[in-house]
Amino acid sequence: MATQDQVAPTPAPAAEAQAPAAAAAAAATRSDSDPSILAHVEHYHATRCAASPIYAFLLGTPADKPLVRFTHARKGLFTARLRLDAQHLNSAGGIHGSVSATLVDWAGGLAIAAWDLRAATGVSVDINISYLSSARLGDEIEIEGRVERVGSNLAFTEVRIFKVDARGERGAVVASGRHTKFVRDTKK
């Protein structure tokens, strides 16, 4: 059971496509988006994240060409979608491992911003990632950032990247990662 400082983590799906019941549960979860948290996450990305050259290159900027589209947010959780372009790919034509790792970094911070509407999300302490499948040019991916726990010094997040199938639903897990950030003195 989750305490006030925790969001209960959802079990990680298998690398294959989710079962129909799990897909239905995921759709129901997305429908409980909080408009004020979604607006905060979008604003945080537009003002802080888009100021970073690497995030601007990979995700676009709201003023120029936004590539990422936010679809859901609630306390400690958000989802966004991104269509893969040439700058996201490795020499073999699949999503580059460094792009997935950068998305874990980005999404971990945004999940913390969604936790309590904080204006800063701290600095990275640890990031790890597992690569489970791939996505290619033109594929759409869904990025889910989720807070596992926010304490007074550290915040722990989990990020999953899914390939979106032809029906627009989550398919195979492309990558799964964890991101720990030092958050002391970052509350608004």
Side-chain angles (χ1 to χ4, degrees):
M1 184 159 134
T3 66
Q4 184 177 4
D5 285 347
Q6 296 177 322
V7 171
T10 56
E16 306 84 45
Q18 293 177 326
T29 300
R30 286 191 293 273
S31 69
D32 67 351
S33 189
D34 182 317
S36 64
I37 295 174
L38 182 59
H40 177 72
V41 168
E42 289 173 331
H43 177 74
Y44 190 94
H45 170 73
T47 57
R48 294 189 54 103
C49 297
S52 164
I54 190 67
Y55 292 150
F57 177 68
L58 294 176
L59 303 171
T61 63
D64 182 32
K65 181 183 176 194
L67 301 176
V68 69
R69 178 176 50 92
F70 294 91
T71 59
H72 171 83
R74 67 171 197 247
K75 182 179 173 98
L77 173 79
F78 86 96
T79 58
R81 293 212 170 171
L82 173 69
R83 185 150 319 270
L84 297 181
D85 286 336
Q87 73 266 29
H88 303 120
L89 306 179
N90 61 27
S91 61
I95 186 171
H96 199 290
S98 67
V99 170
S100 296
T102 300
L103 291 174
V104 170
D105 179 53
W106 170 77
L110 283 177
I112 295 166
W115 177 254
D116 57 6
L117 306 181
R118 64 182 66 209
T121 62
V123 296
S124 296
V125 173
D126 180 62
I127 296 176
N128 68 64
I129 187 164
S130 296
Y131 302 99
L132 304 169
S133 67
S134 190
R136 303 190 75 65
L137 181 66
D139 286 344
E140 187 173 41
I141 59 171
E142 183 170 86
I143 304 116
E144 177 186 81
R146 175 183 301 273
V147 165
E148 292 183 326
R149 182 177 189 287
V150 176
S152 58
N153 292 319
L154 295 174
F156 302 88
T157 67
E158 177 186 18
V159 176
R160 291 183 292 170
I161 302 168
F162 301 89
K163 185 174 175 180
V164 176
D165 67 19
R167 297 180 322 244
E169 300 294 325
R170 284 184 177 177
V173 177
V174 173
S176 178
R178 295 192 180 277
H179 186 198
T180 305
K181 294 190 88 172
F182 181 73
V183 295
R184 186 185 318 153
D185 301 326
T186 61
K187 274 190 124 172
K188 56 180 182 163

